[in-house]
Amino acid sequence: MGKYSKETRNLSISLLKPMLESLHITDPSPLLHKVTSEGMHMMAVNHYHTGLQQQLLSNSAAQIGIPPHTDHTLITVLLQTSPGLHVLDPTDGNWKDAAAPSEIIQGGAQNTLQVLVGDQLEVLSNGRYRGAVHRVSQCSPDNCSRISVASLLSFGMDEVVEPAAEMDGDELLKPFYKGRSLRDLLDHLASGEKLPFIETLRIMG
């Protein structure tokens, strides 16, 4: 896990660099430095299995899964051993399966990763990149054995993320998001507020 964590962090940083360059920020180096020297890298491992699913279904209407959400990160790199991840297609509002390795190449494939844009990159890009709305489906009782490993790259806990001051060579005249930090996210979650955190950051009008 230590080696995997290190390599996925390096991968996330290598992906982030051209994404920042695509925004034509005058100098993305300070942003990259903040991520590499002061940023956070977290790992989240989930295991869904048949025995627990059957127990829950027999005792209540509980479901195994994760409801629709976005990650409050820059980039999330996800490894899943079997299907279950769904991503919302913003063009038609439909949910699409994020194919598992065995579905991508006939006969099965290993080492296939999904990359999701998070809220921090949405805010930083002033909406040019949008956080990927995703969910995890309920396991079917007769076929449920899934492990997912999410690698989440973000700015530091108290780093206020706001729209980059300059993109495309022109001064940003109208920010569409408020600047907030990961600590603000934790405060939001602790408050019990049901509105998604990213929705509290969008500036209307």
Side-chain angles (χ1 to χ4, degrees):
M1 282 303 296
K3 182 177 180 180
Y4 179 79
S5 174
K6 179 180 179 181
E7 293 300 328
T8 52
R9 179 180 182 273
N10 291 338
L11 172 63
S12 297
I13 292 170
S14 69
L15 292 171
L16 181 61
K17 182 178 179 181
M19 295 175 85
L20 292 179
E21 291 174 349
S22 74
L23 298 172
H24 302 290
I25 297 173
T26 304
D27 184 9
S29 299
L31 291 172
L32 286 170
H33 178 73
K34 285 183 179 180
V35 174
T36 56
S37 64
E38 304 170 12
M40 297 179 64
H41 180 240
M42 298 161 282
M43 304 291 291
V45 182
N46 293 296
H47 181 205
Y48 306 87
H49 60 92
T50 304
L52 178 58
Q53 172 72 9
Q54 291 174 336
Q55 179 182 352
L56 286 173
L57 289 176
S58 64
N59 293 337
S60 69
Q63 297 181 352
I64 291 181
I66 299 176
H69 67 286
T70 55
D71 296 332
H72 193 67
T73 60
L74 286 161
I75 291 176
T76 298
V77 175
L78 181 71
L79 171 68
Q80 57 172 351
T81 60
S82 61
L85 176 69
H86 298 161
V87 178
L88 185 66
D89 187 337
T91 62
D92 59 18
N94 293 323
W95 289 100
K96 305 294 176 66
D97 291 334
S102 60
E103 298 178 299
I104 294 173
I105 300 177
Q106 258 191 344
Q110 300 298 318
N111 307 319
T112 302
L113 303 171
Q114 276 84 35
V115 179
L116 305 175
V117 169
D119 294 342
Q120 287 187 348
L121 189 54
E122 178 174 336
V123 171
L124 187 68
S125 68
N126 204 31
R128 298 188 184 190
Y129 284 103
R130 299 303 292 265
V133 180
H134 56 287
R135 68 184 184 185
V136 176
S137 64
Q138 177 187 359
C139 297
S140 62
D142 59 344
N143 181 23
C144 181
S145 181
R146 177 179 180 270
I147 296 174
S148 67
V149 183
S151 171
L152 305 106
L153 181 72
S154 72
F155 285 102
M157 180 63 72
D158 294 307
E159 181 70 30
V160 174
V161 182
E162 56 190 357
E166 222 172 274
M167 286 188 282
D168 291 333
D170 297 321
E171 185 178 352
L172 183 65
L173 298 178
K174 184 176 176 57
F176 298 122
Y177 300 83
K178 304 170 187 175
R180 294 293 186 269
S181 68
L182 272 177
R183 195 174 300 280
D184 293 321
L185 167 65
L186 296 180
D187 292 340
H188 174 82
L189 296 175
S191 72
E193 170 63 56
K194 293 184 178 181
L195 189 67
F197 186 59
I198 187 65
E199 297 297 334
T200 70
L201 305 185
R202 292 195 174 105
I203 300 173
M204 306 303 292

